[in-house]
């Protein structure tokens, strides 16, 4: 295959101001919204970074959109590191956060630290994210003690899908809402630099964002939080079957890619491609 050296040199050419966890904190203080999207590979991450996204999440949603699994549970630590290191090679501005996959941190805080160190060392990412509230505080403190920034994740936590049984909106009842607020405060106190809130009532998300000093990034959590995150395959319309109310599609790439592939097939079959200018 022809080497593609040009890609790398373009991505690294200019060095704009890097987004750090401190920059995100300042953005919250100034009321400036934080933009976050997932990416899992070099080419997509390069585009997302060049567009000016603040945070790239190498989410364990890679298990769904990249590997085709029904849940996020099967993806492994080594697979997350593969995705993360591909993303790291593409970016020159965004903060890169990597999900600790299911089974890589729930055992105990030592395991959580070992997994986080492996991600940081082998991928070059800037922070890790994990799901859960007070039950993961000890792990968060241990990871932080090694100097690794941690993002929390509450509300709908897909790694616990078999405990909850469905992907419906979380914390609609008072008791669960109260627990979520307490968990958010516990994560802030433990030292998380930011928190993702997934699929909870907008009113509750607003209350959380106003109650804690760290940035709150929502997905299906309304507008009154400090930033928004979406899975890139969903917002670009590559995935078709996933259509929750919170999803805004900015493109219909499924249709566009499919029709380009159909055109290519037609050109190959008819002998129209390659033409005389497209040969040596
Ligand atoms: O894995 C992921 O993509 C996520 C986002 C949905 C927040 O955790």
């Amino acid at each position: 295959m022809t080497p593609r050296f040009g890609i790398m040199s373009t991505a690294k050419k200019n060095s704009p101001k890097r987004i750090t966890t401190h920059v995100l904190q300042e953005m919250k203080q100034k009321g400036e919204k934080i933009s976050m999207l997932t990416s899992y590979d070099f080419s997509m991450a390069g585009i997302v970074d060049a567009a000016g996204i603040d945070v790239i999440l190498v989410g364990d949603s890679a298990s769904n959109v990249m590997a085709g699994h029904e849940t996020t549970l099967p993806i492994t630590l080594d697979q997350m590191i593969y995705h993360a290191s591909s993303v790291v090679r593409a970016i020159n501005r965004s903060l890169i956060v990597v999900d600790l996959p299911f089974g890589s941190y729930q055992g105990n805080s030592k395991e959580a630290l070992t997994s986080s160190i492996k991600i940081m060392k082998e991928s070059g990412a800037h922070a890790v994210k994990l799901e859960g509230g007070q039950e993961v505080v000890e792990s968060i403190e241990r990871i932080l003690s090694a100097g690794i920034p941690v993002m929390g994740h509450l509300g709908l936590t897909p790694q616990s899908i078999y405990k909850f049984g469905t992907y419906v909106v979380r914390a609609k009842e008072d008791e669960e809402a109260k627990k979520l607020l307490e968990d958010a405060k516990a994560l802030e106190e433990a030292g998380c630099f930011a928190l993702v809130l997934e699929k909870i009532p907008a009113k509750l998300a607003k209350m959380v964002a106003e109650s804690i000093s760290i940035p709150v990034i929502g997905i299906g959590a309304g507008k009154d939080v400090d930033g928004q995150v979406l899975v890139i395959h969903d917002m670009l319309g590559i995935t078709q079957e996933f259509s929750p109310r919170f999803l805004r599609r900015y493109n219909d790439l499924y249709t566009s890619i499919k029709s380009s592939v159909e055109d290519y097939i037609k050109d190959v079959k008819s002998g129209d491609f390659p033409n005389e200018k497209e040969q040596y």
Side-chain angles (χ1 to χ4, degrees), residues 118-218:
K118 191 168 157 68
I119 286 178
M120 301 297 280
K121 221 177 177 44
E122 295 181 22
S123 76
H126 309 130
V128 297
K129 173 164 91 55
L130 49 72
E131 297 181 5
Q134 284 155 69
E135 68 281 8
V136 291
V137 159
E138 190 189 320
S139 294
I140 291 169
E141 287 170 346
R142 196 141 180 194
I143 298 167
L144 280 165
S145 73
I148 301 171
V150 182
M151 179 180 270
H153 185 154
L154 293 172
L156 175 63
T157 46
Q159 290 180 10
S160 307
I161 183 58
Y162 291 119
K163 179 174 153 198
F164 295 113
T166 72
Y167 288 102
V168 295
V169 179
R170 292 285 136 76
K172 279 166 91 173
E173 306 304 328
D174 287 353
E175 203 178 319
E176 204 187 336
K178 185 169 165 279
K179 169 143 182 13
L180 188 139
L181 192 51
E182 285 165 5
D183 278 344
K185 287 183 178 161
L187 295 186
E188 176 193 31
E189 220 165 277
C192 283
F193 72 90
L195 171 64
V196 166
L197 289 182
E198 181 166 356
K199 219 169 173 187
I200 64 165
K203 259 193 194 163
L204 175 61
K206 179 174 191 280
M207 202 188 300
V208 174
E210 287 170 355
S211 308
I212 61 176
S213 60
I214 57 173
V216 172
I217 319 280

Side-chain angles (χ1 to χ4, degrees), residues 36 38 40 57 59-61 99 129 153 196 198 219 229 231:
M36 174 160 139
T38 66
Y40 318 97
L57 172 66
D60 58 0
S61 47
D99 262 332
K129 173 164 91 55
H153 185 154
V196 166
E198 181 166 356
I219 172 164
V229 58
V231 168

Side-chain angles (χ1 to χ4, degrees), residues 2-241:
T2 310
R4 294 171 176 260
F5 298 124
I7 296 176
M8 181 66 87
S9 54
T10 309
K12 298 284 175 192
K13 215 160 47 191
N14 305 313
S15 288
K17 188 182 170 200
R18 285 256 181 197
I19 302 293
T20 63
T21 58
H22 299 283
V23 171
L24 299 184
Q25 185 64 53
E26 282 166 17
M27 288 171 81
K28 168 146 184 154
Q29 279 155 10
K30 288 191 258 176
E32 197 183 319
K33 298 278 189 186
I34 296 163
S35 59
M36 174 160 139
L37 277 174
T38 66
S39 291
Y40 318 97
D41 67 88
F42 177 87
S43 301
M44 188 71 89
I47 299 170
V48 171
D49 182 69
I53 204 82
D54 297 315
V55 184
I56 292 181
L57 172 66
V58 183
D60 58 0
S61 47
S63 180
N64 309 115
V65 296
M66 299 298 289
H69 293 295
E70 203 175 312
T71 72
T72 58
L73 275 63
I75 199 159
T76 66
L77 187 57
D78 283 333
Q79 287 166 341
M80 288 303 296
I81 290 169
Y82 168 79
H83 287 297
S85 51
S86 307
V87 167
V88 167
R89 284 191 285 276
I91 65 104
N92 56 35
R93 175 180 178 274
S94 321
L95 182 84
I96 303 178
V97 182
V98 182
D99 262 332
L100 279 163
F102 177 71
S104 73
Y105 64 96
Q106 288 91 346
N108 55 57
S109 63
K110 184 166 182 283
E111 188 186 26
L113 175 61
T114 307
S115 301
S116 303
I117 289 176
K118 191 168 157 68
I119 286 178
M120 301 297 280
K121 221 177 177 44
E122 295 181 22
S123 76
H126 309 130
V128 297
K129 173 164 91 55
L130 49 72
E131 297 181 5
Q134 284 155 69
E135 68 281 8
V136 291
V137 159
E138 190 189 320
S139 294
I140 291 169
E141 287 170 346
R142 196 141 180 194
I143 298 167
L144 280 165
S145 73
I148 301 171
V150 182
M151 179 180 270
H153 185 154
L154 293 172
L156 175 63
T157 46
Q159 290 180 10
S160 307
I161 183 58
Y162 291 119
K163 179 174 153 198
F164 295 113
T166 72
Y167 288 102
V168 295
V169 179
R170 292 285 136 76
K172 279 166 91 173
E173 306 304 328
D174 287 353
E175 203 178 319
E176 204 187 336
K178 185 169 165 279
K179 169 143 182 13
L180 188 139
L181 192 51
E182 285 165 5
D183 278 344
K185 287 183 178 161
L187 295 186
E188 176 193 31
E189 220 165 277
C192 283
F193 72 90
L195 171 64
V196 166
L197 289 182
E198 181 166 356
K199 219 169 173 187
I200 64 165
K203 259 193 194 163
L204 175 61
K206 179 174 191 280
M207 202 188 300
V208 174
E210 287 170 355
S211 308
I212 61 176
S213 60
I214 57 173
V216 172
I217 319 280
I219 172 164
K223 67 180 178 56
D224 292 316
V225 287
D226 307 303
Q228 298 292 329
V229 58
L230 285 175
V231 168
I232 191 138
H233 289 64
D234 299 333
M235 62 83 76
L236 291 178
I238 297 172
T239 50
Q240 284 206 309
E241 62 293 343

